[in-house]
Amino acid sequence: MITITAEDPECAARSGFLHLPKGDVPIPAFMPVGTNGTVKAMLHSSLKDIGYPLILGNTYHLYLRPGMEVINKYGGLHQFSSWDGNILTDSGGFQVFSLASFRKITEDGVTFRSHIDGSKHQLTPESVVDIQTMLGSDIQMQLDVCTAPGIKKREAMHALELTTTWAKRAQRRRSEKDGSYKGFLFGIVQGNFYKELRKRSAEQLSELELPGYAIGGLSVGEEPEIFRDFLQFTAPLLPVNKPKYVMGIGTPDYMLEAIEAGIDIFDCVYPTRVARNGTCFTLEGMLNLKNTRFRADRLPIDPECSCPTCSRYSRGYLRHLFVAREILGPMLVTHHNLQFLYTMMDQARNAIASGTFPGFKKSFLERFRGKV
Ligand SMILES: [Zn+2]
């Protein structure tokens, strides 16, 4: 499912393609997050215009609302939402840990109460595979046990062992699905911030020979140096011929750091979430349109960006839209942020192909951080 076409000679960065059921995905790739079957404030056609072939959906949210009974009637999430590109769905585990008002983990699975109406539900490794198969996910994630930073080693050990057991159960369930479903099941490396445990988790999951692997439990509020250290430590422990995914990364510095460590795909709500608040990516760093200094600014968000927003609208007009709470503001800035990151990833892929990724990363970030 993966073809590597270039490897940077000075770091672990690699480029190529993921071969997914709804078409090839050039990697490394950022995936916009479509929590409820929609990337907020974006038309599907706009995502296609930019070039995004793979978006993310949240199993937890879709399972609770509209519910599987509804989505099943349409034959899956692609048909229900009218998106013909690829979809990766998470397992719902992370949302159960971060949103549910009550949760209890047993060997069998996790029981929780909905954050919407308080109703009680249980997810098991098997039911999560069933749900994602019903959704028609092109990549589905195993149910894993997420842990908070700072927990004791014994607790982290238990969580990773249970995650491995659940990966085996998920794999068995996936193998029982009929051949008409082509989605790939990925395992998730846990182990908290203990290197010995990360190694153990990576080894156990690699033995299962799953189609791909995610590194979970990173980018959860730890210092950037710790993130970098654990990413660089964990990524090489996974098989080279399998896709590698890190969840929750959506700023240029973290994304380029991940690419340098050999990561192929990542996702984050950050670029679209901050867009709805008027915060934009530019080559010179972040910019917030609500700032009064943009009141009559005639420049586009980023003069070097070729997106429809920057081709047509000034910072002053966009600022006005946010001040007047017009819905077009979030739409235009979301488009800009997603096109900005797509362009950056395109440049990163080209830099890897020409063997110059570390230089590209350095000059991009120096300018982005305002050191030029
Ligand atoms: Zn733009």
Side-chain angles (χ1 to χ4, degrees):
M1 74 166 297
I2 186 169
T3 304
I4 306 290
T5 53
E7 290 170 288
D8 194 280
E10 287 175 43
C11 66
R14 61 208 204 148
S15 62
F17 297 92
L18 293 187
H19 308 293
L20 297 182
K22 309 294 185 304
D24 285 357
V25 177
I27 51 166
F30 170 74
M31 299 180 282
V33 178
T35 304
N36 289 306
T38 161
V39 174
K40 289 187 200 300
M42 278 294 275
L43 294 169
H44 286 343
S45 56
S46 301
L47 292 167
K48 287 269 167 166
D49 288 345
I50 295 173
Y52 283 109
L54 169 62
I55 63 172
L56 189 137
N58 285 125
T59 296
Y60 171 89
H61 291 281
L62 294 163
Y63 164 80
L64 290 178
R65 188 172 55 194
M68 298 317 298
E69 190 201 335
V70 171
I71 296 178
N72 213 9
K73 285 209 168 96
Y74 289 78
L77 183 57
H78 294 83
Q79 295 88 333
F80 179 57
S81 67
S82 189
W83 167 256
D84 61 4
N86 291 289
I87 300 176
L88 179 150
T89 48
D90 59 8
S91 67
F94 181 75
Q95 279 77 25
V96 168
F97 284 86
S98 56
L99 291 176
S101 56
F102 158 87
R103 63 178 178 275
K104 186 172 190 292
I105 308 163
T106 63
E107 293 289 317
D108 196 39
V110 52
T111 309
F112 66 96
R113 281 192 187 281
S114 158
H115 73 291
I116 300 169
D117 60 7
S119 54
K120 204 171 173 186
H121 303 268
Q122 190 193 28
L123 293 177
T124 66
E126 290 83 6
S127 73
V128 162
V129 169
D130 292 346
I131 292 167
Q132 294 179 93
T133 304
M134 259 186 255
L135 290 171
S137 312
D138 301 289
I139 297 177
Q140 58 166 276
M141 306 302 300
Q142 71 152 117
L143 185 65
D144 61 331
V145 184
C146 308
T147 52
I151 59 161
K152 295 227 164 63
K153 194 172 177 184
R154 232 183 65 188
E155 203 183 326
M157 171 83 135
H158 178 68
L160 95 79
E161 294 284 355
L162 195 51
T163 297
T164 301
T165 307
W166 286 2
K168 289 178 190 165
R169 284 168 53 186
Q171 187 179 35
R172 197 173 313 126
R173 188 62 145 228
R174 172 67 190 88
S175 71
E176 291 163 9
K177 300 294 173 195
D178 76 60
S180 63
Y181 172 63
K182 308 285 185 201
F184 297 98
L185 171 73
F186 281 22
I188 305 179
V189 176
Q190 290 293 348
N192 208 271
F193 292 97
Y194 297 98
K195 287 188 177 168
E196 185 195 329
L197 300 187
R198 287 276 169 191
K199 187 161 182 287
R200 189 182 178 102
S201 178
E203 282 170 359
Q204 289 179 353
L205 290 172
S206 299
E207 271 177 31
L208 301 181
E209 297 191 13
L210 290 160
Y213 294 97
I215 302 174
L218 287 185
S219 191
V220 288
E222 73 280 12
E223 292 296 316
E225 301 76 46
I226 306 230
F227 164 80
R228 185 183 180 174
D229 184 26
F230 271 83
L231 186 66
Q232 289 180 345
F233 176 79
T234 313
L237 301 173
L238 293 164
V240 279
N241 58 345
K242 299 285 173 76
K244 299 177 190 183
Y245 167 30
V246 175
M247 300 137 156
I249 293 182
T251 57
D253 45 354
Y254 273 63
M255 287 164 78
L256 297 175
E257 203 72 73
I259 294 171
E260 192 169 41
I263 301 303
D264 304 308
I265 52 174
F266 25 82
D267 75 277
C268 192
V269 293
Y270 181 80
T272 44
R273 180 175 285 166
V274 298
R276 298 194 298 279
N277 187 33
T279 301
C280 322
F281 290 104
T282 81
L283 289 168
E284 315 277 337
M286 303 305 284
L287 168 160
N288 192 312
L289 289 166
K290 288 186 179 167
N291 196 308
T292 43
R293 73 189 160 104
F294 299 124
R295 207 171 64 90
D297 192 330
R298 298 174 73 93
L299 285 174
I301 297 171
D302 188 328
E304 289 175 48
C305 177
S306 60
C307 85
T309 306
C310 293
S311 308
R312 188 156 191 165
Y313 302 102
S314 67
R315 292 170 180 173
Y317 176 66
L318 293 167
R319 177 179 188 277
H320 160 70
L321 293 179
F322 277 92
V323 172
R325 297 178 183 273
E326 283 294 336
I327 203 163
L328 185 61
M331 290 168 67
L332 291 174
V333 175
T334 301
H335 194 125
H336 164 78
N337 277 0
L338 289 179
Q339 187 150 338
F340 178 90
L341 291 182
Y342 189 87
T343 306
M344 186 188 87
M345 298 302 293
D346 224 16
Q347 291 167 344
R349 289 190 287 264
N350 290 335
I352 296 166
S354 55
T356 56
F357 181 77
F360 164 74
K361 178 187 171 220
K362 186 166 178 284
S363 59
F364 189 99
L365 290 179
E366 276 176 358
R367 192 173 171 198
F368 187 75
R369 290 168 179 157
K371 288 179 186 159
V372 173

